[in-house]
Amino acid sequence: MNHDNLTHQIIAAAYAVHNELGPGFLEKVYENALYVELLNRSILAEQQVSVPVFYQQIQVGDYVADMLVEQQVLIELKAVEAIHTKHEAQLVNYLTATGLDIGLLINFGSSVTVKRKYRTYKK
């Protein structure tokens, strides 16, 4: 499945979750619900994925990304009033550390907001 098709399906799943749950829950609730929704759509997902960071081939850090979908798309979830540039930078750092090309920053605040981020800059 190509990235565009997969990201469209993930975004549709996020909207389905938000339509059913509505706003106001903690991030973890949305994460768990999105995981269930993706599995119901036969989309393979992993939660709380370790993202090691290396410097000169030595591990110098370890992050945990919210979700990895089909081993292709990294997802960082938020449940905040508005997405901040630091959230976007966090996702790009995860992409850089994993070598993955694309990620989605999904905010389940008052409405669903999605930002598509790439490891390398794309217009």
Side-chain angles (χ1 to χ4, degrees), residues 83-90:
I83 292 175
H84 192 276
T85 54
K86 68 182 178 183
H87 301 137
E88 296 179 50
Q90 176 187 17

Side-chain angles (χ1 to χ4, degrees), residues 1-17 34 37-44 69-70 73 75 104 106 116:
M1 182 179 320
N2 70 36
H3 289 150
D4 284 341
N5 188 22
L6 183 56
T7 56
H8 286 295
Q9 289 188 44
I10 295 166
I11 292 167
Y15 276 100
V17 166
L34 181 59
E37 184 64 30
L38 291 171
L39 292 182
N40 287 344
R41 294 169 184 241
S42 300
I43 299 171
L44 180 65
V69 179
E70 295 285 341
V73 179
I75 298 178
L104 294 175
I106 302 174
R116 193 181 310 249

